[in-house]
Amino acid sequence: SLAKLNVDLVVDTGDNLGHRDAIKPALAAMQGVLGIPGVFVNGSNDYFAPAPRNPFNYLFSPSKRESHEALATAEFIEGLETAGWLNLNNSTGTLSVNGSKLRFVGVDDHHEHLSKLETIGQNAKALKTGETLIGVTHAPYLAVINAMEDAGVQVLFAGHTHGGQVCIPGFGAIITNCDLPANAAKGLSSWSRTGRVMWLNVCAGLGHSIYAPVRFACKPEVRIIELVAAE
């Protein structure tokens, strides 16, 4: 369990739901981690119920939403906030984690055009000066990555890609469902436009759409990251 691993912080990068009846079961399943300090953003599957689609379309371009059935997202958000988790959808904040004060900046789902990239830099500047600035996004589009790096984010957490979901053994992901290069579909990668390095951690996640219930050469995962001080 996470308690045995002494986890200090949970970073939830969205797509927790994916079904009209998933809110209460999802919150119940998360009870074991809701007592740990946490931050979260939403993904498209937290806003709209799934709909049948041709999974082969993913091979040609990022997916487009087929469903217009809105979920009771506010109820789910309230559950996380009541547990003390920090809502980072186009927002920011600070948490005291294991004696360290961490600064966070996040955006809502860029895949659904809900992100406000201009708020990233504004929110980062509004935070009091601190040692660590952590970014959180659902979809790691290059525009989001660049905006986070420009704002001084040191490490950015993301999801969305499912790690490629169906991968080629020995090669890896062939798609990311966004414009992120396939070799960064999961795990750690480094990004630098200005000479300063920002780390990107993409988690492949645990689930999948009920209309594409398959993973190949891409195991479900929860990533445990140890952050250490710079020199």
Side-chain angles (χ1 to χ4, degrees):
S1 69
L2 289 180
K4 294 180 180 179
L5 294 171
N6 296 317
V7 171
D8 299 310
L9 173 71
V10 177
V11 179
D12 185 330
T13 56
D15 274 3
N16 294 282
L17 303 178
H19 193 279
R20 64 179 65 85
D21 299 322
I23 293 174
K24 286 182 173 59
L27 290 173
M30 296 171 70
Q31 284 303 307
V33 297
L34 288 178
I36 301 172
V39 298
F40 71 95
V41 294
N42 293 333
S44 60
N45 289 305
D46 300 317
Y47 288 112
F48 299 97
R53 64 175 65 194
N54 184 348
F56 290 102
N57 289 338
Y58 284 101
L59 298 174
F60 305 106
S61 64
S63 62
K64 296 181 181 179
R65 176 163 49 88
E66 304 288 342
S67 171
H68 297 280
E69 181 184 352
L71 300 177
T73 308
E75 178 184 345
F76 183 69
I77 289 176
E78 181 182 4
L80 298 183
E81 291 180 330
T82 299
W85 281 18
L86 189 61
N87 183 349
L88 294 177
N89 287 296
N90 295 324
S91 188
T92 188
T94 61
L95 284 178
S96 180
V97 178
N98 197 23
S100 298
K101 190 173 183 179
L102 303 179
R103 303 177 298 153
F104 297 90
V105 61
V107 287
D108 209 336
D109 185 21
H110 193 75
H111 190 71
E112 281 292 322
H113 310 291
L114 298 174
S115 64
K116 297 180 180 178
L117 299 187
E118 69 278 6
T119 67
I120 296 174
Q122 296 168 1
N123 288 336
K125 289 179 181 178
L127 289 170
K128 294 182 179 179
T129 302
E131 292 296 325
T132 306
L133 179 60
I134 296 174
V136 184
T137 182
H138 173 64
Y141 279 81
L142 296 180
V144 178
I145 293 172
N146 291 339
M148 289 285 184
E149 185 184 351
D150 291 345
V153 167
Q154 291 154 288
V155 56
L156 173 61
F157 290 89
H160 179 68
T161 67
H162 294 192
Q165 189 161 333
V166 176
C167 300
I168 298 175
F171 177 81
I174 55 175
I175 56 171
T176 61
N177 201 23
C178 62
D179 60 359
L180 182 73
N183 61 2
K186 68 176 179 179
L188 284 168
S189 58
S190 61
W191 299 77
S192 178
R193 294 200 303 164
T194 61
R196 182 186 60 81
V197 173
M198 181 185 76
W199 291 97
L200 169 66
N201 179 74
V202 180
C203 181
L206 293 171
H208 46 66
S209 169
I210 61 174
Y211 295 109
V214 61
R215 282 181 182 252
F216 184 76
C218 182
K219 293 181 179 180
E221 66 173 10
V222 170
R223 301 188 66 83
I224 299 177
I225 305 296
E226 182 177 357
L227 300 182
V228 297
E231 295 185 79

